[in-house]
Amino acid sequence: MNYLAHLLLSEPDPLARLGNLAGDFLKGADVRSLHPTIQRGIALHRQIDTYTDRHPIVRQSKARVEPPYCRLAGVLVDVFYDHFLAVYWQTYGVGTLEAFVQGVYADLQQYQALLPPSLQRALPFMVTGDWLTAYRQVSGIAMILERMARRSRRSPLLASSICVLQHHYDALAQDFHQFFPLLTHDVQQKIASLNACDQILP
């Protein structure tokens, strides 16, 4: 899953939530140097990714990605699922998308010094460009893919890959609706298990 889903599925603690986001910004970083609650969020992020990558519905979505984009299937499905989460926020989200996103931006700015350096560097662009709300529009997804293309060696393919979403929109939306409640249930169970362990520890 991509940024928006990780933020929504996190524990409500702001640092845990930011840790869940930070999981995508940790290439080579020493997790042990980060705040313990941020580490907890990162751990949940990785569990979400593992569950998602192994799920047959997600594999079905990836199989819809045709040549020459096949090797980008994992990245594309993550981004496309965030689009559907934003579109159907009233069904799966909390409050309005705008209020949720503004709360995330406020937390990011408040705890900026505790974030991994790569996320600190991305933060001004994320806020001024309103990346998270942009997921709701297909045009916003196109811009996100183009921005990813500028940072990737696979740029020609990423820059044009919005056509995959356009060609398979209804089928991918159906996959998302089948998968996201299952993911939500799994994450809630993981969080409940973590909280139970916390209560047992002295």
Side-chain angles (χ1 to χ4, degrees), residues 13-82:
D13 183 288
L15 288 179
R17 189 165 65 176
L18 297 184
N20 214 323
L21 173 64
D24 282 324
F25 292 86
L26 282 172
K27 296 172 182 157
D30 184 2
V31 174
R32 293 171 297 179
S33 67
L34 300 172
H35 188 284
T37 308
I38 291 180
Q39 292 184 43
R40 181 178 172 118
I42 292 167
L44 183 60
H45 175 110
R46 291 173 175 171
Q47 290 177 311
I48 290 170
D49 281 354
T50 298
Y51 179 88
T52 299
D53 291 342
R54 293 175 178 173
H55 202 281
I57 296 174
V58 176
R59 290 179 179 174
Q60 175 177 274
S61 290
K62 292 176 182 178
R64 300 187 193 281
V65 181
E66 300 162 342
Y69 303 103
C70 297
R71 63 193 178 95
L72 301 173
V75 174
L76 294 180
V77 170
D78 280 352
V79 175
F80 297 161
Y81 275 18
D82 253 16

Side-chain angles (χ1 to χ4, degrees), residues 85-102:
L85 176 57
V87 169
Y88 297 102
W89 187 264
Q90 283 189 307
T91 301
Y92 301 108
V94 177
T96 66
L97 176 61
E98 290 78 7
F100 179 84
V101 166
Q102 289 306 312

Side-chain angles (χ1 to χ4, degrees), residues 84-153:
F84 294 117
L85 176 57
V87 169
Y88 297 102
W89 187 264
Q90 283 189 307
T91 301
Y92 301 108
V94 177
T96 66
L97 176 61
E98 290 78 7
F100 179 84
V101 166
Q102 289 306 312
V104 169
Y105 293 156
D107 288 342
L108 282 165
Q109 291 168 323
Q110 179 178 353
Y111 298 106
Q112 183 172 0
L114 299 178
L115 301 174
S118 56
L119 181 50
Q120 291 188 37
R121 291 191 295 270
L123 177 57
F125 304 100
M126 181 181 292
V127 175
T128 57
D130 195 10
W131 292 3
L132 299 177
T133 307
Y135 280 116
R136 191 161 48 193
Q137 306 298 328
V138 172
S139 59
I141 296 296
M143 287 189 293
I144 287 161
L145 293 171
E146 289 169 7
R147 185 171 61 243
M148 292 170 65
R150 291 194 291 271
R151 305 195 311 266
S152 171
R153 296 175 187 173

Side-chain angles (χ1 to χ4, degrees), residues 130-185:
D130 195 10
W131 292 3
L132 299 177
T133 307
Y135 280 116
R136 191 161 48 193
Q137 306 298 328
V138 172
S139 59
I141 296 296
M143 287 189 293
I144 287 161
L145 293 171
E146 289 169 7
R147 185 171 61 243
M148 292 170 65
R150 291 194 291 271
R151 305 195 311 266
S152 171
R153 296 175 187 173
R154 301 171 290 188
S155 57
L157 288 176
L158 274 170
S160 62
S161 59
I162 190 63
C163 64
V164 177
L165 177 62
Q166 294 167 327
H167 291 167
H168 300 284
Y169 195 93
D170 291 342
L172 288 167
Q174 184 176 6
D175 291 346
F176 170 79
H177 286 306
Q178 292 176 345
F179 172 68
F180 198 73
L182 300 176
L183 174 62
T184 300
H185 178 70

